[in-house]
Amino acid sequence: MTGRYAALVREDRVHGSLYTDPRIFVEEMDRIFRRGWVFLGHESEIAAPGDWVVRPIGLESVILVRDREGRIQVLANRCAHRGNRLCWKERGHDSRFQCIYHGWTFGLDGSLRAVSHKAGFDRDRADMPLDRAGQVGSHRGFIFANMSGDAGPLADHLGVGGRDLIERLCDLSPTGNIHFGAGWIGHRIESNWKMWPESDSDGYHLDFVHASMLRAVPDNYYDETVIGGESKNVSRAIDHGGGVSELDLRPSYRRELAWLGTTRDKIASYCAALEARHGKERADRLLWDGPPHGFIFPNLFLGEGNVARVDPVDVGTVLHVHTALQLEGVDQVLNRRLVRQSEAGLGPASFIVPDDAIIAERMQIGFQGLQPPLNGGDNGPGWIDLSRGRARESRADDGTRVGHVSDETTNRAFWRHYRHVMESRA
């Protein structure tokens, strides 16, 4: 590659202007968030016809709704008449959407159903539906959408790695289904959105950024899976390809259910239900492995017991919003435990995201004023090193790259795919 982004994104480094240049942000909103697949939510959030939630795709607000026929629709959150925003709440249940400006009414499928004072309206209502996403798809209940309609199959976007991450999470439920019933909570952070695919997938920083967590909870499972440097654990950093990456903690767990901080005897009914669905061998494996820690390009973070979205706001602002994993078919005691874990890790007064947010905001300040290198050169100020672990990274026949959990394999995975998308959709 020889284009603009090939000059700014190298195999072992990226330039800091990628985080601060507003022209680059505009191109990202088009090439990544409008013309690619974006994670929106979960089918459990719109379980019944008429259920809807409002979500962003890039900078555009959309309504994710289940229509009367049970189909999932992703509709522009603006009236087809004069562009007034239709829904101001985050979620609701309705039989129609009505604009409060001139009273135009739209069905749950986005079709224009009624126009006020219709004698003066001489157009065909069939020609005036709400704008809608060009493609909508789901995998195990996770809903994705693409506005342009030419992003290709969702299965190709997720790849084998992305599908596997989602399936490992859902298989922890005795019914095979999870739900998002715990609700969303988020952090508004003064940093570029790309710092969060990096931070969420970085296994190198926990000893330092999250030192307070290690002091407060000295026996947490990160101590055996991530903390302590290269010689203390055998966890892996994986690039599955296509912008899908993972910190694979499974090889370092020393006992089953370490990820849940409990033992089999305390959640016996859950373990029995899991075994009834999967058989003993598969259930034992799931109880040992726990939920994955992975990222699916561009905005879905599967953070063990959390599901998070990365929603860009502008070049220097992002919303990092998350919900706790909730398992279908288990008693509420177990799901409450998952909520409490989520609050401790990602909540507003938690050990992890607030610390990461401080680092991201300081990085954003540090990158201010940088200009792209002249003539595509790689000298000069503002380059960020991402070379850690390249020499010991292995590569499988299917292209998967594997390094130590402290290696920057996952960050390189994000940037390698970012460069491909930004160049190929130029």
Side-chain angles (χ1 to χ4, degrees), residues 33-34 36-38 40 57 60-64 72-78 109 130-137 143-150:
F33 285 89
R34 190 184 72 82
W37 286 101
V38 175
L40 278 186
I57 295 183
E60 184 171 359
S61 176
V62 298
I63 306 167
L64 175 60
I72 298 169
Q73 304 280 355
V74 176
L75 309 172
N77 189 13
R78 61 175 176 271
D109 60 355
L130 297 176
D131 293 336
R132 64 188 69 206
Q135 292 174 282
V136 179
I143 302 171
F144 299 79
N146 159 247
M147 295 306 289
S148 68
D150 58 358

